């Protein structure tokens, strides 16, 4: 596994990554102030410091974690100073975004230039903890995200990020599709670290954005048997459109029996939980064959329970997944560029302006969830 490093080859330290002070200029941003309190307001424009890159966001996706914060938070967003950013709510939202470089800080590599089209990998990490020293920046003991933990976000007119967070885009990858790299990387990483082999059968719980990302990652690797469990009729159709071979409904089908029927009576090799609900997990465990693996991607809102004997007696495994690591963004960008992820653009179901985020974005995802996959917000970087 490749470890994120600075230009001299060392791991970046938290003090090197903190954005410089703000300028006297004002800009527009969508800010989270607390539960059901999202505001489109004027804040100070950030200043670009040494080792940093200033980006004009072009497109930014609204993530399920943003929605969870709005409905029931703050939970991921800090209410006491974040150990790395030092920031608390209110915070600028937006961690799935692409943009255009508008300014380069002192010491930034010569490969970058103003006007470059880029996507931002939003993980914030300290570089010092045991996980970071092992190259697992996604497991940093103090981790956070641009757009959730501070350092601004993609739902603004300008954002400053550390150089390590910026990835250049090939000419054939649009800025809109580039805003999907972050959620696609979650699914890509989950498949990467799972025991999946190309001949394996797979069950996916949930046909939302991450479930669809897993489908695409599996299809890109040549998987020939993808089974999706989903309740929503619209999301069932999305699952089929993105490449699922079989779609079943847990309210109508006996999931365990149906999966075994589709897998020669033995069950799937790997199951990916993208839903995070107790009944789904209960069924998935029993639908996995002996020595199969349940991979959890979902962020659970409640404590889950399981019976260890269901794992022990069939030697099944359980694997937790946290976002993505260095290398996943490059792989996803390359897969979009070379056509292996050729349906990514179909995830975009609505496009809105920055001043429409609350009513046309968050409210739509709350009231019309089943008909939406990814709502993108247009920034000033997209002309």
């Amino acid at each position: 596994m490749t470890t994120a490093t600075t230009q001299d080859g060392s791991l970046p330290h938290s003090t090197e990554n903190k954005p410089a002070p703000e300028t006297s200029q004002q800009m527009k941003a969508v800010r989270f102030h607390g539960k059901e309190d999202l505001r489109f307001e004027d804040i100070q424009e950030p200043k670009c410091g040494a080792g940093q890159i200033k980006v004009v966001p072009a497109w930014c996706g609204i993530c399920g974690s943003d929605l969870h914060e709005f409905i029931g938070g703050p939970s991921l967003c800090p209410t006491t100073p974040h150990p790395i950013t030092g920031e608390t709510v209110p915070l600028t939202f937006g961690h799935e975004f692409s943009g255009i470089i508008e300014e380069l800080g002192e010491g930034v590599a010569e490969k970058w230039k103003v006007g470059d089209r880029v996507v931002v990998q939003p993980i914030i990490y300290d570089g010092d903890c045991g996980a970071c020293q092992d190259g697992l920046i996604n497991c940093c003991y103090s981790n956070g995200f641009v757009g959730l933990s501070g350092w601004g976000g993609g739902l603004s007119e300008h954002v400053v990020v550390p150089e390590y967070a910026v990835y250049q885009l090939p000419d054939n990858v649009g800025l809109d599709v580039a805003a999907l790299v972050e959620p696609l990387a979650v699914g890509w990483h989950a498949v990467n670290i799972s025991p999946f082999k190309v001949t394996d059968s797979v069950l996916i719980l949930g046909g939302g954005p991450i479930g669809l990302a897993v489908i695409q990652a599996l299809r890109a690797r040549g998987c020939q048997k993808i089974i999706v469990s989903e309740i929503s009729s619209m999301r069932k159709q999305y699952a089929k459109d993105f490449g699922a071979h079989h779609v079943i409904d847990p309210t109508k089908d006996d999931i365990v029996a149906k999966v075994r029927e589709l897998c020669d009576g033995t069950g799937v090799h790997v199951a990916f939980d993208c839903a995070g609900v107790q009944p789904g997990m209960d069924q998935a465990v029993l639908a996995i064959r002996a020595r199969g693996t349940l991979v959890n991607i979902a962020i659970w809102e409640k404590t889950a329970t399981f019976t260890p004997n269901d794992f022990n007696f069939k030697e099944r495994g359980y694997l937790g997944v946290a976002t993505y690591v260095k290398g996943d963004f490059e792989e996803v960008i390359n897969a979009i560029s070379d056509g292996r992820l050729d349906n990514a653009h179909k995830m975009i179901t609505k496009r809105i302006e920055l001043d429409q985020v609350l009513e046309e974005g968050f409210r739509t995802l709350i009231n019309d969830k089943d008909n939406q996959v990814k709502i993108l917000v247009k920034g000033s970087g997209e002309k």
Side-chain angles (χ1 to χ4, degrees), residues 213-225:
V214 174
I215 292 173
Q216 293 176 80
L218 290 167
R219 289 301 298 264
R221 289 164 172 78
C223 183
Q224 295 301 308
K225 185 171 287 185

Side-chain angles (χ1 to χ4, degrees), residues 265-346:
T266 57
V268 292
H269 297 84
V270 185
F272 293 90
D273 189 347
C274 306
V277 294
Q278 185 72 53
M281 184 180 75
D282 293 342
Q283 294 172 327
V285 172
L286 299 179
I288 298 169
R289 67 178 61 199
R291 291 199 174 180
T293 303
L294 175 60
V295 180
N296 182 73
I297 309 174
I299 302 299
W300 288 69
E301 295 181 352
K302 298 179 180 179
T303 299
T305 60
F306 63 82
T307 303
N309 288 349
D310 288 338
F311 288 85
N312 290 358
F313 294 158
K314 295 294 185 291
E315 295 192 348
R316 297 176 174 119
Y318 185 91
L319 175 65
V321 175
T323 61
Y324 32 77
V325 296
K326 183 175 172 62
D328 291 324
F329 263 50
E330 294 102 322
E331 290 181 17
V332 170
I333 292 168
N334 290 337
I336 294 172
S337 180
D338 66 24
R340 283 174 292 150
L341 290 176
D342 57 350
N343 284 328
H345 64 283
K346 294 180 180 178

